[in-house]
Amino acid sequence: MKLVIDERRCKGCNLCTLVCPYKIFKPGKKPNERGVYTPELDRPERCANCRLQKLYGRKLCGMCQMICPDQAIRWEEEKPEEKKKVVIEF
C-alpha cells in the first residue's frame, strides 16, 4: 500500500503534519496550480500502515486520513512492477 494526497481536494491545512506519529508529512514548499501549498511526503516508507496493512489485514493508524477535513488522503495498491521501499527502524 502507498499513501496518496489528492492535490485537487487538499486545501493545505497541514493537520496531517501535526497528527502523524511517524512524521511522514512536511509542509509544502511550492504551490500547486490553485495556489495551495499541499503537504509533501517525507520518507513515507516509515508509515507502518503503508508497510504492514497487507500483512495484518487492517489499518494500524490512519490518523492522517481521519483528521483530513477534505478527505484528500487515501491508500492505494501499488502496481506489481512498481518498486517498493521498506524501512525497518529500531
Side-chain angles (χ1 to χ4, degrees):
M1 300 296 284
K2 69 177 179 178
L3 194 64
V4 177
I5 300 172
D6 186 349
E7 292 191 13
R8 295 170 302 168
R9 298 187 79 136
C10 180
K11 65 180 175 197
C13 68
N14 286 314
L15 288 174
C16 53
T17 64
L18 300 174
V19 301
C20 179
Y22 304 103
K23 306 293 184 213
I24 65 168
F25 298 96
K26 61 182 178 180
K29 294 186 178 18
K30 294 187 289 183
N32 63 13
E33 65 272 356
R34 296 181 320 166
V36 175
Y37 289 84
T38 58
E40 298 173 5
L41 293 173
D42 179 27
R43 292 180 36 214
E45 62 272 4
R46 292 182 294 180
C47 177
N49 204 32
C50 296
R51 290 183 288 149
L52 304 173
Q53 187 175 19
K54 273 270 207 213
L55 181 66
Y56 292 108
R58 61 186 171 86
K59 289 193 176 165
L60 302 173
C61 176
M63 290 299 295
C64 57
Q65 189 178 34
M66 286 189 281
I67 198 77
C68 183
D70 303 308
Q71 299 174 347
I73 298 173
R74 68 181 184 279
W75 284 271
E76 288 184 354
E77 198 70 43
E78 288 117 335
K79 297 176 178 81
E81 67 278 356
E82 193 172 346
K83 290 184 179 180
K84 297 176 186 175
K85 184 174 180 182
V86 175
V87 172
I88 299 172
E89 295 183 3
F90 298 96

